[in-house]
Amino acid sequence: MKFLRELRSVLNLTVLVAGLGYFVDLFDITLFGVVRVASLKDIGITDPGEILQKGLVIYNAQMIGMMVGGLLWGVLADKRGRLSVMFGSILLYSFANLANAFAWDVTSYAVCRFLGGVGLAGELGAAITLVAESLPKEKRGLGTTIVATLGMLGIVAAAFVGQHLTWKTAYITGGVMGIALLFARFKVSESELFSKKTDPSRANPFLVLQGGRFLKYLCCIAIGVPIYFTTGILFTFAPELATGLGVKGTVTAGNAILYGSIGLTLGDLLAGLFSQWLKSRKRAVGLNITAAFGLMLFYTLVPGLTSTAVYVLSFFMGITVGYWAVLVTMAAEQFGTNIRGTVATTVPNFVRGSAAIAASGVAWLKGSQGMSMGNAALLVGCLCFGLALLALLRLEETFHRDLDYEETADGSRTVPASSQSHG
């Protein structure tokens, strides 16, 4: 009963709207993986090898767009506010998705996904920052968990819609949902911690590079890489991976993403609640990464798997890499108010962008080095999980940290004068 009371206490308009925004965000990000084969065949690409190659080009365009957008929206979040970023990003990715329905070749498709990626980059970081700064420290983990759980349902929706509607209709659906969401945003207020800042010039993104913060920033990114290795390689390219591993039966990307995303939704909820129970972000994330690593090894090393086994593994791998909300919350908590928006927006988008590097690495090992798809994924996966565990060891625990502070050029933290006067 106490837990239910705490859960109800964080279910305010800001949390719900942020969660719905993240729902649309993940719907649009996931959609290409579901409709990849059908959409490419419809624009005239039918060779399986070419579908894989062109699909990687378009997928990488979206991920690179998210890295570019992460930098753009992150700086704006600290200069102009969290809400302005949420409005701007929604407008861009909504119209990019509407345009995507009318793509006629690989180039136009890639351009639409790049612009969509730029727009999508602003949603999560601004939402998590706004929620984290709007709730008391002992409850902000619950708030961000609700946001992420609602968001993960967007992946489930994309997997369902992408398999039951035409690819053009699916993209239009994503665009219309984004535009509809704008009306709900008008009732959400700006973060109080951001609003009371006395010196907007303190929002200097280059502070991330100073005072020993850059290594901490890179560690935050590395910890999230296994999430998008799993979704971007093991789920999105499940058909090619299944062929390389000799899986019995037909494996489709749509089903792998569907079962994996159901696991991700459950995993995000469990990871958030687990971190609240442990009162530790680090321990919760560490246990998730270790379990996910074990399942990845089982998937790529155990012979004779069936398509059903792949879908079951996708579900459980989704649960174990469902620490997205905890990761972004932890990244936001590591840095002061004057660069928190930059960090919380760029970290998840560089994590997402890492999928392009991982996919290119797998493609290079498979093509130039002659590895099987399974061995290439195994090698890249071991690197991703190993770096994540090492990075986690270097970060501070932030569960109980007060977020009302700013960063300075010499690496120290200061409490804004406005906060002191109110204290």
Side-chain angles (χ1 to χ4, degrees), residues 180-352:
L181 186 64
L182 282 174
F183 294 99
R185 291 297 168 91
F186 288 116
K187 296 184 178 180
V188 178
S189 301
E190 182 58 87
S191 159
E192 185 179 344
L193 289 185
F194 175 84
S195 299
K196 70 184 181 183
K197 286 199 318 178
T198 57
D199 184 5
S201 67
R202 293 189 183 189
N204 177 8
F206 293 104
L207 286 174
V208 175
L209 307 178
Q210 301 171 4
R213 299 185 193 95
F214 188 56
L215 179 58
K216 182 165 60 174
Y217 178 74
L218 291 178
C219 286
C220 291
I221 295 171
I223 292 168
V225 168
I227 301 173
Y228 268 79
F229 166 79
T230 302
T231 59
I233 303 298
L234 302 185
F235 296 170
T236 301
F237 295 99
E240 292 84 358
L241 187 59
T243 301
L245 292 171
V247 172
K248 299 172 185 176
T250 301
V251 174
T252 67
N255 279 333
I257 292 171
L258 176 61
Y259 292 113
S261 60
I262 294 172
L264 280 165
T265 304
L266 179 59
D268 242 313
L269 176 62
L270 292 176
L273 297 179
F274 196 43
S275 73
Q276 288 294 118
W277 180 62
L278 292 174
K279 298 192 183 304
S280 170
R281 315 282 188 222
K282 286 184 64 174
R283 280 187 286 168
V285 171
L287 289 170
N288 274 56
I289 293 175
T290 303
F293 189 24
L295 288 174
M296 188 275 295
L297 293 176
F298 184 87
Y299 184 17
T300 54
L301 292 176
V302 174
L305 294 177
T306 64
S307 57
T308 301
V310 169
Y311 295 144
V312 172
L313 279 170
S314 296
F315 170 73
F316 283 106
M317 284 190 293
I319 291 177
T320 56
V321 296
Y323 57 90
W324 190 237
V326 181
L327 166 68
V328 182
T329 304
M330 186 164 59
E333 291 171 341
Q334 295 283 333
F335 298 87
T337 305
N338 54 328
I339 58 171
R340 187 171 296 130
T342 298
V343 171
T345 304
T346 54
V347 164
N349 288 298
F350 279 120
V351 169
R352 288 163 167 169

Side-chain angles (χ1 to χ4, degrees), residues 364-372:
W364 178 74
L365 290 171
K366 183 178 181 296
S368 301
Q369 303 304 307
M371 281 190 180
S372 68

Side-chain angles (χ1 to χ4, degrees), residues 29-46:
I29 291 172
T30 306
L31 196 56
F32 172 68
V34 182
V35 303
R36 173 176 61 96
V37 175
S39 59
L40 289 176
K41 285 182 177 178
D42 197 44
I43 61 175
I45 300 171
T46 56

